Amino acid sequence: MAIPMLVILSRRRPIKVPKGFGLWVLLIAGYVISALMLAETPDGTYGDLTTGRVIGYVMRLVVYLSLLVIVLYLGNLTHEELPQLTLVRMLGALFLTTVAGGLLGVLLPHFAFTSPVEFVLPRWISGNSFVTNLIHPTAAQIQHVLGHASPRPEAPFEWANAWGSNASVLIIWFLVGWWGYGGPLRKILTAVVLALAAIPIVYSLNRGLWIGLGFSLAYLAVRSRRPLALGTAVAAAATAFLLSPLSSMVAQRLDSPHSNDIRAFTVSTTVQTAATSPIIGYGNTRNAFGNHRSIATGKSDWCDTCGHPPLGSDGQLWLLLITQGFIGAALYAGFFAGAVRRYWADRTPIGQAGVLVMMLALFYMFIYDGMVTALSLYLISFALLWRNAT
């Protein structure tokens, strides 16, 4: 979609650019330079330059470039061409889709189908595990988080973690569009949708999502003009949740921090490896020898999913460190931190919601990979902030 957007954008003069967007341009420029290191194999990692490594690099570059075009396109549309509330409610509609996909993942976790893209792409591309996650629609990931097989909703997104981070961003815009700017009927429907959303939110077993929602409530309590009303609503919702069967699942998840050791190993190894190329990184992820328990693990002919997750797969910050070095990570963090500082004074519902999303982007970079859909929502939210200030 960025291609027709670019064509439309090219016909407009002059093209407006938001303050601070130079950091995003520098991030892309640094990523282009990092391609020089794609063939390198740092100490403690294995793997040669393959088609898969190149595909992953090109995929991320295309995403970065597409988001640059999308932000400029949205920011250069007039409010008559695209009203702010229309864009907010588009994101709210996507939240409804997210809730529906989450419920599908809970009720029919094995639902999946072959997309038209899979028929078009050659097998050597569609068979790549990274690409498969993007083009083969599934309702849920079946994982053993609680010690037994349990579904974690992911529809309509690419991974269960992507569902969690996206849901926490979209719920903000849903509340702005349906509650903040909605009439009595919309507010009643909002309460119903939130009650339904609680089911996949809990079944997602996503601690990052839960923390993000808690952070959002704390942010709203601080910046809200009616903290007492907000506190009362939150207390009523918390009481209803604690009395429901969903609360026991949350308790089980908090008692099963099975991924902590894996994340600790991946993050520490990523930082050590990134330190060997701190300026431009290595262009793409790398596979480390072993895991947090042993050095004798890895993929084999009979188990192509065995081994440890790639370095940089535990959060956007760690991905940037391994792909673009410490400078790339600083540019990314500086872009969103600068947006928070620049638009903090905007007290409108859209302004406060947009700043919250920028803050969530900074928090989630420690635990979630921003590719592909999450980063899209962050940048669309940035465009909303920019448009709101003009």
Side-chain angles (χ1 to χ4, degrees), residues 64 315-320 332 364-365 368-371 375:
Y64 288 146
Q316 187 68 18
L317 174 63
W318 320 116
L319 175 65
L320 288 163
Y332 179 91
Y364 284 152
M365 72 179 184
Y368 290 140
D369 183 353
M371 299 290 179
L375 203 54

Side-chain angles (χ1 to χ4, degrees), residues 10 22 102 107 148 157 176 182 187 207-208 210 218 220 225 234 240 317 343 353:
S10 65
L107 299 174
H148 56 82
F157 304 113
V176 171
K187 291 183 178 180
R207 292 171 297 173
W210 300 342
L220 291 175
R225 292 190 174 98
V234 170
L317 174 63
Y343 299 111

Side-chain angles (χ1 to χ4, degrees), residues 33-214:
I33 296 173
S34 72
L36 297 172
M37 301 294 286
L38 280 174
E40 299 298 320
T41 304
D43 293 340
T45 67
Y46 66 93
D48 299 320
L49 179 61
T50 61
T51 303
R53 185 180 293 180
V54 175
I55 289 175
Y57 172 84
V58 173
M59 179 74 188
R60 294 186 184 94
L61 179 60
V62 168
V63 170
Y64 288 146
L65 289 170
S66 298
L67 291 177
L68 182 148
V69 172
I70 289 172
V71 169
L72 294 179
Y73 172 80
L74 290 175
N76 281 272
L77 290 177
T78 66
H79 289 277
E80 289 73 27
E81 292 172 308
L82 180 62
Q84 285 283 77
L85 187 55
T86 299
L87 182 52
V88 168
R89 285 184 172 164
M90 286 179 179
L91 294 172
L94 184 54
F95 178 69
L96 295 177
T97 307
T98 301
V99 173
L103 291 171
L104 177 66
V106 172
L107 299 174
L108 297 172
H110 296 286
F111 176 82
F113 64 91
T114 302
S115 70
V117 177
E118 289 182 83
F119 288 111
V120 175
L121 288 179
R123 180 62 186 168
W124 64 272
I125 295 180
S126 64
N128 179 275
S129 58
F130 177 70
V131 176
T132 299
N133 274 324
L134 300 178
I135 65 173
H136 184 71
T138 53
Q141 287 182 282
I142 308 299
Q143 298 181 344
H144 291 73
V145 177
L146 301 178
H148 56 82
S150 55
R152 299 185 64 201
E154 63 178 356
F157 304 113
E158 57 270 33
W159 294 283
N161 280 347
W163 188 94
S165 64
N166 292 344
S168 70
V169 169
L170 291 170
I171 195 174
I172 296 169
W173 295 117
F174 173 73
L175 289 172
V176 171
W178 282 57
W179 185 273
Y181 291 102
L185 179 59
R186 281 187 182 271
K187 291 183 178 180
I188 293 173
L189 292 175
T190 298
V192 174
V193 170
L194 293 180
L196 291 173
I199 298 172
I201 285 174
V202 171
Y203 271 88
S204 71
L205 303 175
N206 196 315
R207 292 171 297 173
L209 165 60
W210 300 342
I211 295 171
L213 292 175

Side-chain angles (χ1 to χ4, degrees), residues 287-331:
N287 294 308
F289 286 114
N291 61 19
H292 62 289
R293 290 196 180 100
S294 169
I295 63 170
T297 60
K299 294 183 180 181
S300 64
D301 293 336
W302 59 272
C303 184
D304 60 359
T305 60
C306 290
H308 196 274
L311 300 181
S313 61
D314 283 315
Q316 187 68 18
L317 174 63
W318 320 116
L319 175 65
L320 288 163
L321 285 177
I322 192 70
T323 58
Q324 294 184 247
F326 291 89
I327 291 180
L331 289 171

